[in-house]
Amino acid sequence: MQFRKTVSVLALGLSLAVGAQAQGKKVEFPKGLQWQTMDMLAFDFNFPGYEGTPESRKLAAAIWAPTLEGLPPHESGGKYPAFVNIAAFESGGNRYIFTILSAASLVYPQCEDPPNSSAINTPIYAICPMRVVIQSLSGGQATQQDFPRYCNITSNDQFQPKSRNYEQVAFDAKNRMAYVRVVQYGKPAPECNRAIKLP
């Protein structure tokens, strides 16, 4: 897989880089990883707990601008809601941004909706593309690549709070590997484990 050229990230130019690969089956995590919980944001969804930080909102809005702008109007007013999980790391003169957007598959067919069931332990994550952006801290040039079929959990209400349902990323700068996992109902969801070899 290759990182592809896109329009811009925060109005910065992009170049093409190669070498990123995603591994999605039976991923075993190395010991000693430092996990970072992804910031959970929502757009066109007025509910507490999805605000994120101003920096993360600005960054997510820039990375996903064409998708967010392309969502159709919703009957309740505004556009269909979209949810974005995002985390960033800095290493070796680069910033590595891991982000995933989910919206109803009716309007964003790149995602698969969670099963519609109230049965206990039913998965509550969507399956959507993970977008990885690598940005030079000195020149600002950035590359990005989408990886299909990543779990994206965005639950945050009184029944399923984000304290028990969240997504995390760990970054191994030495081996240029990133790892992604999901915690659901307070327990790891191993079917969501992913590893990405970065260029």
Side-chain angles (χ1 to χ4, degrees):
M1 299 181 116
Q2 294 184 341
F3 271 73
R4 63 181 177 83
K5 188 177 291 186
T6 60
V7 178
S8 66
V9 175
L10 297 180
L12 298 172
L14 296 173
S15 61
L16 191 66
V18 298
Q21 300 174 352
Q23 303 165 11
K25 293 186 178 181
K26 297 182 180 178
V27 174
E28 297 292 334
F29 298 131
K31 294 180 179 179
L33 292 175
Q34 299 295 313
W35 293 99
Q36 177 179 323
T37 299
M38 300 180 84
D39 207 358
M40 187 169 64
L41 319 171
F43 296 84
D44 293 292
F45 184 72
N46 186 20
F47 192 84
Y50 291 89
E51 298 85 1
T53 66
E55 180 184 2
S56 65
R57 288 194 70 83
K58 183 178 179 182
L59 194 56
I63 291 171
W64 290 100
T67 302
L68 293 170
E69 293 166 3
L71 293 176
H74 190 267
E75 59 186 16
S76 62
K79 292 178 178 280
Y80 265 82
F83 302 87
V84 177
N85 288 347
I86 187 169
F89 301 84
E90 293 185 5
S91 177
N94 291 321
R95 179 163 61 159
Y96 298 84
I97 307 162
F98 301 87
T99 179
I100 183 168
L101 178 145
S102 65
S105 61
L106 174 69
V107 297
Y108 185 53
Q110 291 88 338
C111 274
E112 296 176 19
D113 298 328
N116 187 11
S117 172
S118 60
I120 190 169
N121 295 330
T122 299
I124 55 176
Y125 51 77
I127 304 292
C128 305
M130 168 74 74
R131 180 166 292 173
V132 180
V133 176
I134 302 176
Q135 180 184 33
S136 169
L137 294 174
S138 58
Q141 295 297 308
T143 57
Q144 77 175 37
Q145 182 176 339
D146 288 356
F147 299 94
R149 302 195 58 76
Y150 274 61
C151 300
N152 188 31
I153 195 162
T154 58
S155 175
N156 188 28
D157 57 35
Q158 61 178 328
F159 304 106
Q160 296 301 336
K162 65 181 180 181
S163 61
R164 290 174 49 81
N165 302 280
Y166 51 87
E167 194 160 0
Q168 294 183 311
V169 178
F171 181 58
D172 180 351
K174 180 180 179 181
N175 296 307
R176 305 194 68 77
M177 292 291 298
Y179 300 93
V180 182
R181 71 178 181 184
V182 160
V183 173
Q184 176 182 247
Y185 301 122
K187 300 177 181 179
E191 69 275 15
C192 293
N193 292 356
R194 298 290 186 272
I196 304 173
K197 178 67 175 177
L198 297 169

